[in-house]
Amino acid sequence: MHWILFLVGLVWLAAVWGAAVWERRSQQALRRAVWRDLLAGGVLFLLVLAFFWRTLSGDVFQPADGGDLASFLFPAYRFAAGELAGGRLPLWNPTLYGGAPFVGDIQAGFLYPPNLALFLLSPNFAYPSLQWLAVLHLFWAALGMYVLLRTLRWEAGAQISRLGALFGGLAFGLCDPLLIHLGNLNLIAVLSWLPWVLAPYSRALAPAAGFNTWRRDWGWAAVTALLFALSGYAGHAQSSVYIGLALALYTVGRLATDWVAARRWTQVGRTLLLGVGVLGLTLLLLGPILLPALEMAAYTVRAEFTYQDTVVYSLAPVQALVGLLTPGFFGRGPALHWSLWERVELPYLGVATLLLAAAALLLAPALRRRDLWLWLGVALFGLPVSLGVYGIVHGWLTLLLPLFDQFRAPARALMLWALGMCVLAAVGFDLVLGQVRKISALAPEAALPVSSPTEALPAPSEDGAKTGTEAGTEFGWDLLAGILRWGALLLGGVAVPLAYMALLLTQAEDTTFLRTSLAALALTLALGAWLAVWALVGSVRRGVLSAAVGGTLLIAVLFLELAAAGAYTDISPTDPTLGFVHPEIVNFLKADPDLFRIDTDTDIADLWQPDTAALVGLQDVHGVANPLLLRSVRDFQQSTGGRATRRYDQLNVKYVLVRTGTPLPEGKFERVLGPVGELELYRNRDFAPRAWWAPADANLAALELPDQPVAAQVTRYTSTALDIQVDSPATGYLVLSENWYPGWYATVNGESATVEMVNGALRAVRTPAGAAQVALRYRPASWIWGLVLGVAGLLLAVLLLVLALRPRRAPQTAAY
């Protein structure tokens, strides 16, 4: 994967060089500054690479067991890449669960441009490629936050400095809600676009400078919708909903601040119209994946979720409170964790981020603080939602928002907390470094000249009395000084000593000693970061350090703190994809010329990855646990009565893979391979063909497989096309051990035919007596209509952009 690093570096250098040339040919301040922003982005890139250097070098794997990245996404993405390499769209996946709609699984991600590029350039990509994609998306999240922060404008046109934006970007890209999900590439990919989506939206909702700005506003709205839809194609519906919630909260906050500032109903109407327009255009653009996913949702196990199912992985209040300061108190990652849910995200963004966010609220002048309440509201909305069953807000959302009750893990709402707090921290960063007042609580003897682009404090009045803004700011500095002082005393004087005292008292108990050690080390790290921030803020206030040096050191403190807490957590030198590597068994199965399925649901997940079939080109009646499993498939498999029955044989299972010594029904199964390691392969002597004939008077709701079925010949088999030749003794049905689902169409001898449902799960097509050629094709109407809507949305977005970029005519002056 070194070529990815080389490619990214080459593109970045080209961009910096182009910006430098642009600067020389232009005197505009904006253009002259572009290359500095690109260099700041390059620094973010290097910091993210430095954070994950062990993982990216191939020294370790992260997460240790691979998580969904290894067990689910790797085989699914390799299947999609193989289909595309064969010139087919991966609409249906025959390799798992006896066959399932792949395009309906929103996590498929084969239309997401970065995934698509990987699939087309390297169809047989190795697992580390996905680790690289995950890390690069964390960098993308950090860069997006940098862009958002540089885009935001506060009162009087103030802009967040590059160092402040760099701080906020680093905190967001490596925040716990993203880092803990390194094994959920699709989740990271969607959420990495969150700040990118908000950046143009903030421009669209900026107060209008006149009645002729509608084209500009709708141009930015189109960009917002395009980026929002692009993120959705990465394939994680819950994360897309949280992006939508962020946009909604920003809209409400913008409405509130605009109304307070101007109290104009025209501005309110404009904001609402733009918000509705962005939502509508985004839904159109997402049509190709949204319509199939909505269709599939009604057929899956997920549709049966109760509220109790949706609140699995709620954030416990104690974890939330401790997690504000450290993610390691209860251990981090499955290996050492000793509280609830080893991989639930925490509100941890770094102690430095937390303190600077508080500084923003305490030190901002009154006019600027009004805008900060918006971001505080976003943060404080995400925090109670993340509590799930431990709070009430999440329950309200399941009643108010469509499909919200199908999403588990409420703790993921912490992305809204991270978003709001990182914006506040960037503002606080500039305010701490740019204040000019001499505050006795921090530095009674020195004052610092303004060196950041933030708004300076007003000068004292002529009679020496402080203005309202001065007094409020001085009061804010006093509060900040108190927070720094008392927080350090509580951590250093109470929490850390108690932790080490407990450590001494538990030396004889291995488990308790380990847990206490983790807690003590975590609190010590938090204390160190707290003291470092206090020292740096005080040094800048006293003039010992310049604002630039102090800001750089604050960024260094944040990076070292985040790295110490997470860079080496949940790693392992063992390749998590070894469970896919079984060449002797796979070669034996692929040498069999029959069309058949295997059965691996025999408690061997620790030896054989459940989704191996998708990776190696076999067909399995099972797969990894998936809430998008079709209910009809689950019900049919549960009703077979076991492997000894003829109903089980309708699944077309020819081989069963078991752990050595596992008993199977005698007389029906014979061992044909093994032991291979700890695995043995058994053949089903009563294996039924993939397609067979049933008489016309058969009960399709409870069809039994005859002892000697009339087999049909499958002449063509791909993921979305089957051609079958059958010689029926009479009018009847061609029954297939293929799962029924809307979107499959059939022809018999060229004439359209209905695809019937057999036993509530399988397919059947009525055939005449004699020879017949049956063809089945998968062409889901939801996919076709989704493409139509997607193209319409794209054309509309392009039209809005063209109108926005079209130069305005100069006003004509009447001649006299």
Side-chain angles (χ1 to χ4, degrees), residues 237-276:
Q238 185 180 24
S239 298
S240 294
V241 168
Y242 285 134
I243 293 181
L245 283 174
L247 291 175
L249 291 170
Y250 186 85
T251 303
V252 172
R254 194 75 266 167
L255 285 170
T257 54
D258 289 348
W259 175 252
V260 169
R263 289 183 170 84
R264 290 198 308 237
W265 286 108
T266 54
Q267 183 72 14
V268 171
R270 166 183 168 272
T271 299
L272 287 175
L273 187 60
L274 285 169
V276 172

Side-chain angles (χ1 to χ4, degrees), residues 730-803:
T731 301
Y733 291 96
L734 175 67
V735 182
L736 299 94
S737 61
E738 296 280 343
N739 292 327
W740 181 92
Y741 187 77
W744 279 100
Y745 298 92
T747 60
V748 178
N749 295 329
E751 299 292 331
S752 178
T754 302
V755 180
E756 308 278 357
M757 181 184 288
V758 177
N759 291 334
L762 306 180
R763 294 180 224 154
V765 178
R766 192 175 180 89
T767 58
Q773 186 70 32
V774 180
L776 289 97
R777 300 293 184 267
Y778 185 57
R779 297 190 303 269
S782 59
W783 161 252
I784 295 172
W785 280 109
L787 285 177
V788 172
L789 294 179
V791 171
L794 185 59
L795 292 176
L796 179 57
V798 171
L799 176 62
L800 291 173
L801 288 174
V802 169
L803 291 175

Side-chain angles (χ1 to χ4, degrees), residues 1 4 48-49 52-70 73-74 77 115 118 125-139 181-185 188 569-577:
M1 291 306 298
I4 293 183
V48 173
L49 290 186
F52 291 103
W53 73 270
R54 292 194 67 191
T55 303
L56 298 180
S57 68
D59 186 35
V60 296
F61 295 90
Q62 190 176 11
D65 62 359
D68 285 352
L69 193 65
L73 294 177
F74 180 45
Y77 285 179
N115 291 353
L118 176 64
F125 60 87
Y127 174 71
S129 301
L130 298 188
Q131 292 190 140
W132 270 92
L133 274 181
V135 171
L136 289 175
H137 275 96
L138 292 183
F139 158 67
H181 285 293
L182 196 66
N184 299 85
L185 172 58
I188 290 175
T569 300
D570 199 10
I571 60 176
S572 171
T574 303
D575 187 344
T577 64

